[in-house]
Amino acid sequence: MPSTLLRAAGFLLGFWLALFLLQPLAARAASQDGELRVLEDGVYSAINATRAEQHRGILERLPALDAVAREHSIDMAARHYLSHDTPEGLNPVDRIQRGGVDGMTLAGENVGLTNRANPNREIVEGWIASPVHRANLLHPAFNATGVGIARAADGTLYYTQVFVTFPRP
């Protein structure tokens, strides 16, 4: 508690200035988060459209899997790598299990990065053109997914999509 009226006024002025100066930064971060969520929704829709064209079941999007995918994209963007394994050796199954997702019987993952103007198109078309990535996104056993996108400091977008199979009732 400030001991004088002058110190109290100084504290309040400093607090107000901090709020005033930080508000644009918070708004910009929220705007970027919103942009990334829109991109994630677009990838999810594009992959399910591709699956539907190939007579595959629609993948259920799960928030826990989104969180796993997003965390991997954030890690790759922050540490500038592109891999299914973290530098510490954690693979997709390890990360899914650490994310609290239990009961899966099969897992797969697609990753990518881009700095192009239409990032989703480049990523999805690239995954479809790659036999290994295409096999993941069209695998008939997969029934759930999560999508996560992060932006590196240089503007590059890092994409992760995890695919899992849960036993059907």
Side-chain angles (χ1 to χ4, degrees):
M1 199 80 184
S3 59
T4 68
L5 187 57
L6 184 58
R7 286 185 180 175
F11 172 80
L12 289 174
L13 179 62
F15 183 72
W16 180 81
L17 281 173
L19 287 176
F20 179 75
L21 295 174
L22 292 177
Q23 184 182 16
L25 295 175
R28 187 176 323 142
S31 172
Q32 287 179 4
D33 264 5
E35 174 195 356
L36 296 177
R37 299 311 161 252
V38 168
L39 288 172
E40 290 170 356
D41 292 345
V43 168
Y44 172 70
S45 296
I47 296 304
N48 270 333
T50 301
R51 287 178 63 88
E53 290 169 6
Q54 298 299 314
H55 309 289
R56 301 297 196 278
I58 299 302
L59 299 169
E60 180 182 2
R61 188 169 175 195
L62 300 177
L65 292 174
D66 279 349
V68 168
R70 195 171 293 126
E71 285 301 316
H72 188 53
S73 290
I74 290 168
D75 185 48
M76 290 190 298
R79 299 198 288 171
H80 307 288
Y81 72 94
L82 181 69
S83 178
H84 297 290
D85 296 336
T86 68
E88 296 76 27
L90 295 176
N91 64 38
V93 172
D94 297 328
R95 289 184 279 103
I96 291 168
Q97 290 172 336
R98 281 187 172 196
V101 178
D102 296 319
M104 68 179 177
T105 58
L106 183 66
E109 178 180 75
N110 287 349
V111 296
L113 63 83
T114 183
N115 57 8
R116 300 263 172 101
N118 191 340
N120 278 2
R121 187 173 78 199
E122 180 184 3
I123 292 295
V124 171
E125 287 179 359
W127 285 346
I128 291 169
S130 162
V132 173
H133 294 94
R134 182 180 174 85
N136 273 344
L137 66 93
L138 293 178
H139 198 298
F142 290 140
N143 56 19
T145 193
V147 180
I149 302 171
R151 185 182 306 277
D154 67 0
T156 301
L157 294 172
Y158 285 77
Y159 283 65
T160 303
Q161 183 168 16
V162 293
F163 304 90
V164 301
T165 302
F166 291 107
R168 300 180 199 275

